[in-house]
């Protein structure tokens, strides 16, 4: 499928979020089409994780609209106004907001920076937890699918191991498989390799590249610029809670239009200068 | 020393421990843990009213003597027309008491599980209640075994207070034998040794449990 005839999957407009007095997102726009691989780059504290978490319902923006093809359409500002303040607001509107949050969550799956595998469950149990407990997939079916996915990332033998018995790269691959097993429309990655030893980064990025080639829709927060360059088809540079620059990897990496983008890339590519 | 009395009283005392003290402690502890979980969840609730209720409960239980709590339930409530038998009275008082003390242990144990575990449960699609039951509590259980074992061992000894509301447990039997034989030092020492035996066995059980629960924890 060529990028031009991809259908829209997710549209975000004017996403805002504050933590107390810290105005972290100041109107973020995002367009993701099916099959897109979107790289979110930017300095520490620029709000990348907050954007990603908002897409998974882990964070609720204060304002802005998030629309997923096939639902839901969430207007965060209107929703917050209807729900009212604190615990004593409008119950119906609060329930609606909660349902929206869950609906966003049900369409996407997050791969965390620190994998967040369940330490008391084996690799297989980690993977089938969502399908069996939540989606009602029969255990045998879920196990079969999980085994296929584990085989694809080369972890067949680790099926019955506990997470602490795996290397960091293996843990993160299980984290990816756990997300895939949910069969989401949108895969979200928050710096999936930044907690890994350098020699383990490649095995995780390889898996991610394969997923991209297979047509999974992915939003990836990353400091791996070469990965963004080779695998992403859209790059967003975030700074101070806004998308400063947005374009194809070629545009962003070879001919950044904004001074701030140039400075950021320079710092990463030439840290010692 | 009257060895024959020691030998003759050993079985009645041990039996009192096995069919009185231990069932009383086990039942109260089991119910107490449920109370503790509920109170801990109240405390953790973002709703300020619920959180205050939890805090008030813990404060009342910890700020008043267990013996007084027992007496209120057994000797006090009948004045309101609520008459409860010795055994149920004791179980109610002890489990409410355990609930108050263990609530803080359970709360701390729940808080000790990294926030990322809640988030992983969320992203996998689980409701908070299911995440709590399947993901958080099993991990919280491991850290709460040592403090909860202490609570349980204290409880085993505290059940001797139930003799004052006429529950037939080990210490009540000791009192009867002592009064009958006039050998107070001997019989009460013997009872003390049997309590100590029970507690030693329980400590061993605690170690075994900790080892078992350790199997999936990184070292
Ligand atoms: N739950 C929270 N409570 C309070 N402040 C928060 C919270 N989450 C994020 N922040 C703040 O929001 C800002 C943006 O954080 P965010 O994690 O989105 O940045 P980031 O771009 O992902 O940074 P990094 O590259 O360091 O991961 C930071 O100032 C951070 O301290
Ligand atoms: Mg981040």
């Amino acid at each position: 499928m060529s990028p031009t005839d991809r259908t829209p999957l997710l549209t975000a407009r004017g996403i805002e979020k504050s933590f107390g007095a810290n105005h972290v997102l100041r109107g973020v726009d995002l367009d993701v089409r099916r099959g897109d691989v979107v790289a979110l780059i930017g300095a520490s504290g620029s709000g990348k994780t907050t954007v990603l978490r908002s897409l998974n319902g882990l964070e609720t923006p204060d304002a802005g609209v998030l629309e997923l093809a096939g639902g839901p359409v969430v207007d965060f500002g209107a929703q917050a106004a209807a729900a009212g303040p604190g615990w004593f607001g409008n119950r119906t509107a609060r329930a609606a907001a909660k349902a929206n949050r869950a609906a966003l969550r049900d369409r996407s799956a997050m791969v965390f920076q620190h994998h967040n595998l369940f330490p008391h469950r084996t690799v297989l149990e980690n993977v089938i937890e969502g399908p069996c407990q939540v989606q009602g997939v029969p255990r045998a079916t879920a196990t079969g699918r999980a085994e296929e996915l584990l085989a694809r990332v080369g972890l067949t033998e680790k099926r019955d191991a506990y997470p602490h018995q795996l290397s960091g790269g293996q843990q993160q691959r299980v984290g990816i498989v756990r997300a895939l097993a949910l069969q989401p429309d949108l895969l979200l990655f928050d710096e999936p390799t930044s907690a890994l030893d350098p020699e383990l980064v490649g095995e995780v990025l390889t898996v991610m590249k394969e997923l991209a080639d297979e047509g999974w829709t992915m939003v990836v927060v990353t400091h791996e610029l070469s990965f963004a360059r080779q695998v992403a088809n859209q790059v967003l540079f975030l700074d101070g809670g806004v998308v400063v620059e947005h374009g194809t990897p070629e545009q962003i990496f070879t001919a950044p239009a904004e001074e701030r983008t140039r400075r950021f890339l320079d710092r990463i590519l030439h840290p010692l200068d | 020393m009257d060895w024959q009395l020691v030998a003759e009283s050993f079985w009645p005392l041990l039996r009192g421990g096995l069919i009185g003290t231990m069932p009383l402690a086990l039942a109260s502890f089991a119910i107490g843990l449920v109370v503790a979980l509920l109170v801990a969840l109240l405390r953790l609730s973002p709703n300020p009213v619920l959180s205050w209720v939890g805090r008030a409960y813990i404060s009342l239980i910890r700020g008043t003597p267990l013996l007084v709590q027992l007496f209120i339930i057994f000797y006090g409530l009948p004045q309101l027309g609520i008459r409860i038998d010795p055994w149920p009275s004791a179980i109610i008082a002890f489990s409410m008491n355990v609930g108050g003390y263990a609530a803080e242990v359970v709360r701390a144990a729940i808080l000790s599980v990294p926030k990322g575990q809640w988030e992983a449960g969320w992203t996998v699609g689980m409701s908070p209640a299911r995440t709590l039951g399947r993901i958080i509590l099993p991990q919280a259980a491991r850290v709460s075994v040592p403090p909860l074992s202490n609570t349980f061992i204290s409880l085993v000894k505290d059940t001797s207070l139930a003799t004052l509301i006429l529950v037939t447990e080990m210490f009540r039997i000791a009192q009867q034998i002592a009064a009958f034989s006039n050998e107070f030092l001997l019989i009460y020492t013997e009872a003390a040794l049997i309590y100590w035996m029970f507690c030693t066995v329980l400590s061993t059980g605690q170690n075994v449990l900790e080892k078992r629960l350790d199997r999936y924890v990184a070292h």
Side-chain angles (χ1 to χ4, degrees):
Chain A
M1 197 162 48
S2 82
T4 42
D5 48 50
R6 287 174 173 170
T7 54
L9 176 62
L10 173 136
T11 316
R13 287 290 173 269
I15 299 296
E16 304 217 17
K17 176 73 182 175
S18 299
F19 294 106
N22 189 0
H23 197 172
V24 174
L25 301 183
R26 299 164 178 262
V28 171
D29 296 349
L30 181 67
D31 284 278
V32 184
R33 291 156 303 174
R34 284 186 196 276
D36 273 0
V37 177
V38 179
L40 281 181
I41 62 171
S44 180
S46 57
K48 306 179 297 292
T49 297
T50 309
V51 170
L52 205 66
R53 290 165 59 85
S54 300
L55 304 183
N56 194 226
L58 278 166
E59 217 70 80
T60 304
D62 306 323
V65 179
L66 205 62
E67 177 175 358
L68 270 163
V73 181
V74 191
D75 182 335
F76 292 104
Q79 167 184 293
W87 278 90
F88 308 102
N90 181 317
R91 292 186 77 79
T92 324
R94 284 223 344 248
K98 205 171 143 188
N100 280 336
R101 208 163 84 87
L104 288 177
R105 181 266 313 270
D106 291 343
R107 300 287 304 275
S108 57
M110 176 80 85
V111 176
F112 298 92
Q113 186 170 9
H114 296 284
H115 68 73
N116 293 356
L117 294 176
F118 307 129
H120 59 305
R121 305 216 176 261
T122 63
V123 164
L124 181 72
E125 289 167 347
N126 264 275
V127 176
I128 65 174
E129 184 74 19
C132 288
Q133 289 297 316
V134 185
Q135 300 179 338
V137 178
R139 202 182 163 89
T141 315
T143 303
R145 279 191 214 152
E147 282 169 341
E148 265 170 49
L149 291 170
L150 288 171
R152 277 195 22 205
V153 301
L155 289 175
T156 299
E157 291 91 82
K158 299 296 181 185
R159 197 193 110 116
D160 297 317
Y162 284 95
H164 80 267
Q165 297 167 319
L166 307 181
S167 74
Q170 292 171 333
Q171 289 168 339
Q172 199 54 292
R173 281 183 277 156
V174 176
I176 293 173
V177 167
R178 182 173 69 177
L180 292 177
L182 300 168
Q183 306 190 312
D185 291 311
L186 184 60
L187 282 171
L188 308 170
F189 295 81
D190 190 3
E191 300 195 36
T193 57
S194 64
L196 298 179
D197 289 338
E199 78 271 18
L200 303 177
V201 169
E203 62 188 63
V204 173
L205 292 182
T206 306
V207 168
M208 289 170 62
K209 180 168 184 338
E210 286 168 11
L211 296 176
D213 292 342
E214 277 169 36
W216 286 88
T217 311
M218 302 160 55
V219 178
V220 185
V221 172
T222 186
H223 286 301
E224 301 289 339
L225 296 190
S226 58
F227 174 83
R229 194 168 187 151
Q230 290 170 33
V231 180
N233 65 321
Q234 286 191 52
V235 178
L236 273 73
F237 171 62
L238 239 74
D239 194 30
V242 291
V243 178
V244 170
E245 192 163 354
H246 169 213
T248 63
E250 293 77 52
Q251 284 167 334
I252 301 288
F253 293 118
T254 54
E258 298 289 330
E259 176 59 25
R260 279 196 273 177
T261 316
R262 233 169 289 150
R263 278 208 308 270
F264 170 75
L265 293 174
D266 222 45
R267 270 204 310 280
I268 295 214
L269 298 172
H270 312 288
L272 295 179
D273 299 351
Chain B
M1 211 149 98
D2 188 345
W3 288 110
Q4 193 181 346
L5 180 63
V6 173
E8 277 173 0
S9 57
F10 183 77
W11 173 238
L13 286 175
L14 183 65
R15 188 164 171 278
L18 292 176
I19 66 168
T21 301
M22 286 315 290
L24 181 55
L26 282 170
S28 305
F29 190 66
I31 300 169
L33 282 185
V34 176
V35 176
L37 178 60
L38 293 177
V39 176
L41 293 178
L42 287 177
R43 276 283 269 124
L44 289 167
S45 166
N47 182 328
V49 177
L50 296 182
S51 160
W52 182 87
V53 170
R55 212 189 302 261
Y57 180 85
I58 293 169
S59 171
L60 282 175
I61 291 293
R62 298 218 290 197
T64 55
L66 175 53
L67 186 57
V68 177
Q69 294 164 12
L70 264 177
F71 273 38
I72 287 176
I73 288 171
F74 187 69
Y75 295 112
L77 288 185
Q79 290 201 309
L80 299 177
I82 306 171
R83 221 165 282 282
I84 310 174
D85 285 346
W87 263 86
S89 290
I91 290 177
I92 291 170
F94 288 133
S95 51
M96 283 179 67
N97 193 267
V98 166
Y101 278 91
E104 291 293 63
V105 171
V106 173
R107 187 178 81 102
I110 288 175
L111 288 175
S112 77
V113 178
K115 208 167 122 265
Q117 292 292 307
W118 287 98
E119 298 186 341
W122 167 263
T123 203
V124 153
M126 287 192 270
S127 65
R130 203 185 280 256
T131 306
L132 179 74
R134 295 187 58 86
I135 308 300
I136 306 299
L137 289 182
Q139 297 180 59
R142 168 62 192 86
V143 274
S144 42
V145 167
L148 287 182
S149 300
N150 287 340
T151 308
F152 185 58
I153 288 171
S154 296
L155 175 65
V156 169
K157 296 175 290 182
D158 286 345
T159 54
S160 56
L161 292 173
T163 189
L164 294 166
I165 62 164
L166 316 176
V167 173
T168 305
E169 40 64 71
M170 175 161 53
F171 188 58
R172 188 167 177 77
I173 293 168
Q175 284 178 313
Q176 288 164 350
I177 300 175
F180 183 75
S181 64
N182 266 323
E183 290 286 355
F184 295 97
L185 180 62
L186 190 68
I187 296 300
Y188 288 153
T189 307
E190 191 175 4
L193 282 172
I194 296 176
Y195 275 113
W196 174 76
M197 231 171 61
F198 279 145
C199 291
T200 308
V201 171
L202 290 172
S203 298
T204 314
Q206 170 188 347
N207 290 336
V208 173
L209 193 58
E210 277 178 43
K211 288 230 171 60
R212 266 188 60 99
L213 291 172
D214 259 352
R215 73 184 183 278
Y216 51 73
V217 176
H219 295 283

